[in-house]
């Protein structure tokens, strides 16, 4: 039982490049989330998926797209990376209304 | 809109007791959660309050006052390993998809 896994752990991109962050959970949870965390700021929701086949915008969706590939997997895509997207990205899945399980994070630098 | 406020930093000594406060402003409040994060790693769930009062889990306790829109996390018998960031998070009644709203976090430093 691995919980929530994310790949890659680290990534450096040049401005304008694209990439996809992968997330998978093995807890059979319906809801999954993508957050970004910047220094001195809490976790800000980018996109979420309440159930397989649905996705919705969170607080900071601009510059990102998501795909809920199946119940296990939820990917985050940066189509044209910008330095403002330098951040740590966390994927999470929902256990209850108040408890989420988080992955280890992806540390992304855009130069 | 929604907002949560918590102190940015707290320092305490090993063996002491520390309280991390969280005040919130949100519509449709359902409950308050607390998460711990070590060194930028995965946040982990600590505690949850839906009703007023104190919830105790070992050395950690969490308190909620819905009338004051206020909660706190209490850490007793502090250990060096408790040095971490602590986040409060609000769950709302009509929280489509189980979304949580997180505070900015409190960095706790435990000194010997």
């Amino acid at each position: 039982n691995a919980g929530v896994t994310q790949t890659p752990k680290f990534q450096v991109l040049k401005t304008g490049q694209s990439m996809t962050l992968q997330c998978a959970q093995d807890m059979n949870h319906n809801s999954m989330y993508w957050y970004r965390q910047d220094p001195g700021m809490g976790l800000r929701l980018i996109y979420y998926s309440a159930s397989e086949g649905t996705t919705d915008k969170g607080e900071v969706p601009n510059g990102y797209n998501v795909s809920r590939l199946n119940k296990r997997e939820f990917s985050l895509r940066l189509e044209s990376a910008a330095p403002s997207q330098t951040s740590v990205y966390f994927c999470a899945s929902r256990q209850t209304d108040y408890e989420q399980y988080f992955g280890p994070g992806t540390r992304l630098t855009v130069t | 809109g929604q907002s949560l406020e918590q102190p940015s930093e707290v320092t305490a000594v090993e063996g002491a007791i520390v309280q991390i406060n969280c005040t919130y402003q949100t519509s449709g409040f359902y409950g308050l959660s607390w998460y711990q994060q070590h060194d930028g790693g995965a946040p982990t769930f600590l505690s949850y309050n839906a009703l007023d009062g104190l919830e105790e889990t070992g050395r950690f306790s969490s308190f909620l006052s819905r009338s004051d829109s206020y909660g706190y996390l209490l850490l007793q018998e502090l250990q060096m390993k408790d040095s971490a960031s602590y986040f409060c998070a609000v769950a709302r009644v009509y929280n489509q998809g189980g979304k949580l709203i997180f505070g900015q976090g409190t960095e706790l430093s435990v000194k010997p």
Side-chain angles (χ1 to χ4, degrees), chain A residues 31 33 35 37 40-45 48-50 57-58 88 90 94 96-105 107, chain B residues 30-33 35 37 39-45 47-48 87 91-92 95-105:
Chain A
S31 301
Y33 312 84
Y35 295 90
Q37 184 177 33
M41 305 190 76
L43 295 152
R44 293 187 291 169
L45 185 65
Y48 69 102
S49 171
K57 295 178 181 179
V88 181
F90 288 101
R94 172 191 177 194
T96 64
D97 283 344
Y98 50 86
E99 182 178 0
Q100 294 180 6
Y101 283 100
F102 285 81
R107 282 138 185 86
Chain B
Y30 183 67
L32 189 69
S33 298
Y35 286 77
Q37 184 183 37
D39 299 323
T44 56
F45 172 78
S47 186
Y48 174 71
F87 295 88
R92 294 184 295 163
N95 60 353
Q96 304 156 339
K99 291 186 292 183
L100 295 174
I101 303 166
F102 284 86
Q104 294 188 350

Side-chain angles (χ1 to χ4, degrees), chain A residues 35-100:
Chain A
Y35 295 90
R36 61 177 288 173
Q37 184 177 33
D38 302 297
M41 305 190 76
L43 295 152
R44 293 187 291 169
L45 185 65
I46 305 171
Y47 269 94
Y48 69 102
S49 171
S51 61
E52 188 178 353
T54 69
T55 61
D56 283 287
K57 295 178 181 179
E59 181 185 357
V60 288
N62 291 344
Y64 306 94
N65 283 301
V66 291
S67 295
R68 183 74 183 266
L69 304 170
N70 47 54
K71 192 170 186 178
R72 288 187 66 248
E73 299 172 287
F74 188 36
S75 63
L76 178 72
R77 182 159 178 85
L78 286 71
E79 291 291 351
S80 178
S84 60
Q85 294 178 304
T86 293
S87 190
V88 181
Y89 291 86
F90 288 101
C91 176
S93 67
R94 172 191 177 194
Q95 171 78 353
T96 64
D97 283 344
Y98 50 86
E99 182 178 0
Q100 294 180 6

Side-chain angles (χ1 to χ4, degrees), chain B residues 58-111:
Chain B
R59 293 187 298 113
F60 293 4
S61 303
S62 58
F63 172 83
L64 177 65
S65 169
R66 296 173 71 104
S67 59
D68 295 323
S69 298
Y70 164 75
Y72 65 73
L73 181 69
L74 191 73
L75 295 80
Q76 302 183 72
E77 300 172 16
L78 279 174
Q79 302 175 9
M80 298 296 290
K81 67 179 182 179
D82 297 327
S83 292
S85 292
Y86 293 85
F87 295 88
C88 57
V90 162
R92 294 184 295 163
V93 173
Y94 43 87
N95 60 353
Q96 304 156 339
K99 291 186 292 183
L100 295 174
I101 303 166
F102 284 86
Q104 294 188 350
T106 298
E107 187 172 347
L108 171 64
S109 296
V110 180
K111 308 292 186 187

